[in-house]
Amino acid sequence: MRHASLALAASIATLALAVPAQAQDADSMTFFVTSAGSVKGADLGGLDGADTICQTLATKVGAGKRAWHAYLSTQEADGKPAVNARDRIGKGPWQNAKGVVIAKDVTELHSDANNLNKETALTETGATVNGRGDMPNTHDILTGSQPDGTAFPPGEDKTCGNWTKGGVDGAAMLGHHDRIGINDSAPMKSWNSSHLTRGGCNQAALQSTGGAGLLYCFATN
């Protein structure tokens, strides 16, 4: 796992080199959507690998002094307890690269009062992420979480093998950063728990429903 995480970090670092450092206020930024995902679909190298992605991209724009975690849950498996995404991201408040607050705390983040949408869910560089209606649509964000930010019970895979699968097996729960879907139902408007991947955990499967393997990243301090 350590070797996989190191290899993933190297891949993300390579991608990050092509991303201009445009974040307007790196010192105060405490939330972003990744401008790039893993090159291996939903195989992120586990939670450690996912956190490395967040930390690497944050560092690229001058925000590496903070500790960054990916908003991801894992399911109970192989004797290891589940991990809730909401417990990994600190206490808040969180604001984007342009200083706009998306939520003041964990409770607000998981309520209808949060300020997370296409205009505020910016990348680490302050760029807007494509949503429904854009080409390509990349509004599917990996979360593996229920609407309240907790993990799913063991059984049906909803985390792509706890973020270690990148093939045709498994599935992962996704959220819509733009809060828009094919209808007006609550799941379609959910930023963290909208629908599962279709066709597995590889990059093609993520792209098929409007994704690119992107993550939500939160500063924990």
Side-chain angles (χ1 to χ4, degrees):
M1 183 67 74
R2 176 175 175 79
H3 292 301
S5 296
L6 290 174
L8 180 60
S11 297
I12 294 301
T14 299
L15 289 171
L17 289 175
V19 178
Q22 298 172 342
Q24 295 188 8
D25 193 355
D27 287 339
S28 61
M29 181 179 70
T30 50
F31 162 83
F32 64 87
V33 176
T34 58
S35 59
S38 166
V39 295
K40 299 167 64 178
D43 180 359
L44 308 173
L47 291 179
D48 287 345
D51 292 345
T52 296
I53 293 174
C54 290
Q55 194 72 46
T56 300
L57 293 177
T59 299
K60 178 62 180 177
V61 296
K65 292 181 180 179
R66 298 183 184 275
W68 291 87
H69 279 182
Y71 182 93
L72 295 172
S73 294
T74 61
Q75 296 172 268
E76 180 183 346
D78 301 323
K80 296 181 180 180
V83 175
N84 301 320
R86 64 181 293 141
D87 298 335
R88 312 189 71 242
I89 58 174
K91 297 180 179 179
W94 299 283
Q95 60 187 43
N96 66 20
K98 295 186 177 180
V100 178
V101 175
I102 64 158
K104 68 178 186 294
D105 54 33
V106 173
T107 298
E108 184 174 80
L109 180 65
H110 295 91
S111 76
D112 292 337
N114 74 51
N115 186 34
L116 203 157
N117 52 58
K118 184 180 179 181
E119 287 69 39
T120 62
L122 306 177
T123 70
E124 73 279 0
T125 70
T128 302
V129 179
N130 280 7
R132 186 170 175 81
D134 296 325
M135 293 297 291
N137 176 18
T138 57
H139 73 167
D140 286 348
I141 312 297
L142 296 169
T143 70
S145 301
Q146 301 187 83
D148 64 353
T150 58
F152 285 96
E156 182 183 359
D157 183 13
K158 296 185 179 181
T159 60
C160 283
N162 288 335
W163 315 112
T164 63
K165 292 182 178 179
V168 296
D169 296 326
M173 182 57 68
L174 308 161
H176 288 164
H177 87 285
D178 58 359
R179 317 293 285 274
I180 300 173
I182 59 176
N183 55 49
D184 289 331
S185 65
M188 290 294 101
K189 295 181 178 181
S190 175
W191 69 274
N192 70 337
S193 195
S194 184
H195 61 86
L196 290 169
T197 56
R198 182 177 60 213
C201 298
N202 57 36
Q203 198 69 12
L206 303 185
Q207 293 170 345
S208 71
T209 60
L214 304 183
L215 307 170
Y216 295 119
C217 297
F218 289 80
T220 63
N221 59 355

